Amino acid sequence: MAKRFYDLTVAGCTRTLPIINLNETLAIAGFVMLGDVELCECCARDLAKKIPQETDIIMTAETKGIPLAAALARQIGMPYYVTARKSVKAYMEDPIWVEDESITTMGKQRLYLMNTDIERIEGRNVLLLDDVISTGGSMTALRSLAEKAGGHVIGQAAVLAEGSAVKREDIIFLAELPLFAAE
């Protein structure tokens, strides 16, 4: 059970986030949009005002970016978005993949796209989307996967930028999320 908390306000919504140790020196505020309809809708509304207008398709990674991608697609009138999966499912034909490593996932993992998603991306302007950008590892993997599928990445967006990511000028985000010393 968390003993420390951080109050975050983003897109007009305030949430109290537990501060969780990742290792002996670093802790993060646990930001989870899954199941929070109000937060997803409000963040999507505000992100829709900031993303490139020439966006043809939104691409996110399983899992936490999915409800945000769905809400953002609705906001901008897009009938589809693409989800990079963390494992190959029986229905996935001719998948392509790249390796991914993020601070919230233990070790390396792979991200996969199936043939129908590749067709949605190929030759199109792709907006990469996630809940939080921290080290940029997940965005790097998504970019590689989108490019492998023949897409042109025109933007990287997230609800929050964490740590040194707040200084990046190549990402779109709504609010900053600090890092914390582990206790």
Side-chain angles (χ1 to χ4, degrees):
M1 185 79 135
K3 295 181 174 130
R4 296 188 296 162
F5 298 90
Y6 176 75
D7 288 328
L8 171 74
T9 299
V10 61
C13 298
T14 300
R15 299 295 184 268
T16 299
L17 310 179
I19 298 175
I20 303 154
N21 290 343
L22 285 183
N23 55 43
E24 292 180 3
T25 59
L26 180 64
I28 61 169
F31 180 70
V32 179
M33 299 185 78
L34 288 172
D36 193 331
V37 175
E38 177 190 33
L39 184 62
C40 287
E41 293 295 329
C42 290
C43 290
R45 177 199 65 219
D46 286 6
L47 277 171
K49 298 171 190 170
K50 299 179 89 170
I51 64 169
Q53 288 187 351
E54 61 272 18
T55 297
D56 294 321
I57 191 84
I58 297 165
M59 180 176 167
T60 192
E62 228 176 23
T63 297
K64 292 184 346 184
I66 293 173
L68 178 62
L72 183 55
R74 271 192 305 278
Q75 284 285 329
I76 62 176
M78 191 174 285
Y80 298 100
Y81 62 93
V82 171
T83 302
R85 305 297 304 263
K86 291 183 180 176
S87 62
V88 175
K89 306 298 180 191
Y91 56 80
M92 295 175 74
E93 293 184 29
D94 303 319
I96 61 172
W97 60 271
V98 298
E99 283 197 345
D100 176 27
E101 192 167 5
S102 76
I103 68 167
T104 56
T105 304
M106 297 295 228
K108 291 185 180 185
Q109 63 183 2
R110 287 184 177 177
L111 293 177
Y112 300 88
L113 286 178
M114 63 183 169
N115 59 340
T116 54
D117 291 331
I118 295 166
E119 291 168 8
R120 287 187 175 133
I121 289 173
E122 188 174 14
R124 306 200 58 211
N125 292 328
V126 182
L127 174 73
L128 306 178
L129 182 68
D130 210 349
D131 59 337
V132 180
I133 297 174
S134 187
T135 63
S138 295
M139 282 294 178
T140 298
L142 281 174
R143 174 181 288 279
S144 295
L145 193 56
E147 290 171 351
K148 194 172 191 177
H152 175 65
V153 176
I154 60 166
Q156 301 173 85
V159 173
L160 303 173
E162 183 175 59
S164 62
V166 302
K167 296 176 185 163
R168 291 179 54 180
E169 295 183 14
D170 64 327
I171 62 173
I172 300 160
F173 62 95
L174 299 178
E176 297 179 16
L177 186 62
L179 293 171
F180 302 88
E183 287 185 2

PDB file of all heavy atoms in Angstrom, residues 5-19:
ATOM      1  N   PHE A   5       1.574  10.181  -1.818  1.00  0.00           N
ATOM      2  CA  PHE A   5       0.661  10.443  -2.925  1.00  0.00           C
ATOM      3  C   PHE A   5       1.021  11.768  -3.579  1.00  0.00           C
ATOM      4  O   PHE A   5       1.642  12.632  -2.967  1.00  0.00           O
ATOM      5  CB  PHE A   5      -0.792  10.479  -2.434  1.00  0.00           C
ATOM      6  CG  PHE A   5      -1.230   9.167  -1.852  1.00  0.00           C
ATOM      7  CD1 PHE A   5      -1.065   8.910  -0.500  1.00  0.00           C
ATOM      8  CD2 PHE A   5      -1.790   8.188  -2.663  1.00  0.00           C
ATOM      9  CE1 PHE A   5      -1.449   7.694   0.037  1.00  0.00           C
ATOM     10  CE2 PHE A   5      -2.178   6.972  -2.134  1.00  0.00           C
ATOM     11  CZ  PHE A   5      -2.005   6.725  -0.778  1.00  0.00           C
ATOM     12  N   TYR A   6       0.601  11.902  -4.837  1.00  0.00           N
ATOM     13  CA  TYR A   6       0.820  13.131  -5.595  1.00  0.00           C
ATOM     14  C   TYR A   6      -0.504  13.536  -6.221  1.00  0.00           C
ATOM     15  O   TYR A   6      -1.161  12.717  -6.882  1.00  0.00           O
ATOM     16  CB  TYR A   6       1.869  12.898  -6.684  1.00  0.00           C
ATOM     17  CG  TYR A   6       2.101  14.083  -7.570  1.00  0.00           C
ATOM     18  CD1 TYR A   6       2.827  15.186  -7.114  1.00  0.00           C
ATOM     19  CD2 TYR A   6       1.589  14.123  -8.861  1.00  0.00           C
ATOM     20  CE1 TYR A   6       3.037  16.290  -7.917  1.00  0.00           C
ATOM     21  CE2 TYR A   6       1.796  15.231  -9.683  1.00  0.00           C
ATOM     22  CZ  TYR A   6       2.518  16.300  -9.197  1.00  0.00           C
ATOM     23  OH  TYR A   6       2.728  17.402  -9.987  1.00  0.00           O
ATOM     24  N   ASP A   7      -0.909  14.785  -6.026  1.00  0.00           N
ATOM     25  CA  ASP A   7      -2.143  15.291  -6.620  1.00  0.00           C
ATOM     26  C   ASP A   7      -1.822  15.879  -7.989  1.00  0.00           C
ATOM     27  O   ASP A   7      -1.044  16.826  -8.104  1.00  0.00           O
ATOM     28  CB  ASP A   7      -2.802  16.347  -5.732  1.00  0.00           C
ATOM     29  CG  ASP A   7      -3.422  15.736  -4.487  1.00  0.00           C
ATOM     30  OD1 ASP A   7      -3.888  14.584  -4.562  1.00  0.00           O
ATOM     31  OD2 ASP A   7      -3.445  16.404  -3.442  1.00  0.00           O
ATOM     32  N   LEU A   8      -2.438  15.321  -9.016  1.00  0.00           N
ATOM     33  CA  LEU A   8      -2.226  15.736 -10.392  1.00  0.00           C
ATOM     34  C   LEU A   8      -3.512  16.344 -10.934  1.00  0.00           C
ATOM     35  O   LEU A   8      -4.591  15.775 -10.761  1.00  0.00           O
ATOM     36  CB  LEU A   8      -1.853  14.520 -11.255  1.00  0.00           C
ATOM     37  CG  LEU A   8      -1.819  14.758 -12.761  1.00  0.00           C
ATOM     38  CD1 LEU A   8      -0.583  15.552 -13.153  1.00  0.00           C
ATOM     39  CD2 LEU A   8      -1.872  13.434 -13.511  1.00  0.00           C
ATOM     40  N   THR A   9      -3.373  17.486 -11.592  1.00  0.00           N
ATOM     41  CA  THR A   9      -4.497  18.069 -12.310  1.00  0.00           C
ATOM     42  C   THR A   9      -4.108  18.170 -13.775  1.00  0.00           C
ATOM     43  O   THR A   9      -3.080  18.770 -14.115  1.00  0.00           O
ATOM     44  CB  THR A   9      -4.868  19.462 -11.759  1.00  0.00           C
ATOM     45  OG1 THR A   9      -5.237  19.322 -10.390  1.00  0.00           O
ATOM     46  CG2 THR A   9      -6.040  20.056 -12.529  1.00  0.00           C
ATOM     47  N   VAL A  10      -4.929  17.552 -14.631  1.00  0.00           N
ATOM     48  CA  VAL A  10      -4.694  17.572 -16.068  1.00  0.00           C
ATOM     49  C   VAL A  10      -6.043  17.589 -16.768  1.00  0.00           C
ATOM     50  O   VAL A  10      -6.969  16.891 -16.353  1.00  0.00           O
ATOM     51  CB  VAL A  10      -3.819  16.375 -16.521  1.00  0.00           C
ATOM     52  CG1 VAL A  10      -4.470  15.045 -16.213  1.00  0.00           C
ATOM     53  CG2 VAL A  10      -3.457  16.469 -17.990  1.00  0.00           C
ATOM     54  N   ALA A  11      -6.157  18.426 -17.785  1.00  0.00           N
ATOM     55  CA  ALA A  11      -7.382  18.538 -18.592  1.00  0.00           C
ATOM     56  C   ALA A  11      -8.621  18.780 -17.723  1.00  0.00           C
ATOM     57  O   ALA A  11      -9.693  18.272 -18.003  1.00  0.00           O
ATOM     58  CB  ALA A  11      -7.562  17.291 -19.464  1.00  0.00           C
ATOM     59  N   GLY A  12      -8.446  19.523 -16.650  1.00  0.00           N
ATOM     60  CA  GLY A  12      -9.564  19.845 -15.768  1.00  0.00           C
ATOM     61  C   GLY A  12      -9.931  18.763 -14.774  1.00  0.00           C
ATOM     62  O   GLY A  12     -10.901  18.914 -14.027  1.00  0.00           O
ATOM     63  N   CYS A  13      -9.179  17.687 -14.739  1.00  0.00           N
ATOM     64  CA  CYS A  13      -9.445  16.573 -13.815  1.00  0.00           C
ATOM     65  C   CYS A  13      -8.319  16.486 -12.785  1.00  0.00           C
ATOM     66  O   CYS A  13      -7.147  16.590 -13.134  1.00  0.00           O
ATOM     67  CB  CYS A  13      -9.498  15.241 -14.562  1.00  0.00           C
ATOM     68  SG  CYS A  13     -10.801  15.127 -15.798  1.00  0.00           S
ATOM     69  N   THR A  14      -8.686  16.290 -11.533  1.00  0.00           N
ATOM     70  CA  THR A  14      -7.691  16.105 -10.485  1.00  0.00           C
ATOM     71  C   THR A  14      -7.766  14.670  -9.987  1.00  0.00           C
ATOM     72  O   THR A  14      -8.851  14.156  -9.700  1.00  0.00           O
ATOM     73  CB  THR A  14      -7.932  17.090  -9.313  1.00  0.00           C
ATOM     74  OG1 THR A  14      -7.838  18.429  -9.821  1.00  0.00           O
ATOM     75  CG2 THR A  14      -6.899  16.898  -8.216  1.00  0.00           C
ATOM     76  N   ARG A  15      -6.594  14.042  -9.907  1.00  0.00           N
ATOM     77  CA  ARG A  15      -6.503  12.671  -9.417  1.00  0.00           C
ATOM     78  C   ARG A  15      -5.366  12.593  -8.402  1.00  0.00           C
ATOM     79  O   ARG A  15      -4.339  13.261  -8.548  1.00  0.00           O
ATOM     80  CB  ARG A  15      -6.217  11.681 -10.560  1.00  0.00           C
ATOM     81  CG  ARG A  15      -7.286  11.640 -11.661  1.00  0.00           C
ATOM     82  CD  ARG A  15      -8.614  11.114 -11.124  1.00  0.00           C
ATOM     83  NE  ARG A  15      -9.633  10.964 -12.145  1.00  0.00           N
ATOM     84  CZ  ARG A  15     -10.525  11.880 -12.473  1.00  0.00           C
ATOM     85  NH1 ARG A  15     -10.504  13.073 -11.875  1.00  0.00           N
ATOM     86  NH2 ARG A  15     -11.447  11.646 -13.389  1.00  0.00           N
ATOM     87  N   THR A  16      -5.559  11.768  -7.384  1.00  0.00           N
ATOM     88  CA  THR A  16      -4.529  11.514  -6.387  1.00  0.00           C
ATOM     89  C   THR A  16      -3.828  10.219  -6.776  1.00  0.00           C
ATOM     90  O   THR A  16      -4.458   9.155  -6.817  1.00  0.00           O
ATOM     91  CB  THR A  16      -5.134  11.414  -4.976  1.00  0.00           C
ATOM     92  OG1 THR A  16      -5.770  12.667  -4.676  1.00  0.00           O
ATOM     93  CG2 THR A  16      -4.060  11.131  -3.933  1.00  0.00           C
ATOM     94  N   LEU A  17      -2.536  10.333  -7.072  1.00  0.00           N
ATOM     95  CA  LEU A  17      -1.764   9.199  -7.570  1.00  0.00           C
ATOM     96  C   LEU A  17      -0.854   8.637  -6.483  1.00  0.00           C
ATOM     97  O   LEU A  17      -0.186   9.401  -5.787  1.00  0.00           O
ATOM     98  CB  LEU A  17      -0.895   9.628  -8.754  1.00  0.00           C
ATOM     99  CG  LEU A  17      -1.583  10.411  -9.874  1.00  0.00           C
ATOM    100  CD1 LEU A  17      -0.571  10.784 -10.941  1.00  0.00           C
ATOM    101  CD2 LEU A  17      -2.724   9.608 -10.460  1.00  0.00           C
ATOM    102  N   PRO A  18      -0.784   7.316  -6.355  1.00  0.00           N
ATOM    103  CA  PRO A  18       0.147   6.730  -5.398  1.00  0.00           C
ATOM    104  C   PRO A  18       1.576   6.859  -5.907  1.00  0.00           C
ATOM    105  O   PRO A  18       1.820   6.738  -7.114  1.00  0.00           O
ATOM    106  CB  PRO A  18      -0.280   5.260  -5.348  1.00  0.00           C
ATOM    107  CG  PRO A  18      -0.867   5.010  -6.702  1.00  0.00           C
ATOM    108  CD  PRO A  18      -1.538   6.302  -7.092  1.00  0.00           C
ATOM    109  N   ILE A  19       2.505   7.118  -5.029  1.00  0.00           N
ATOM    110  CA  ILE A  19       3.915   7.166  -5.402  1.00  0.00           C
ATOM    111  C   ILE A  19       4.508   5.790  -5.107  1.00  0.00           C
ATOM    112  O   ILE A  19       4.425   5.294  -3.978  1.00  0.00           O
ATOM    113  CB  ILE A  19       4.667   8.285  -4.651  1.00  0.00           C
ATOM    114  CG1 ILE A  19       4.059   9.637  -5.041  1.00  0.00           C
ATOM    115  CG2 ILE A  19       6.152   8.236  -4.961  1.00  0.00           C
ATOM    116  CD1 ILE A  19       4.622  10.822  -4.293  1.00  0.00           C
TER     117      ILE A  19
END
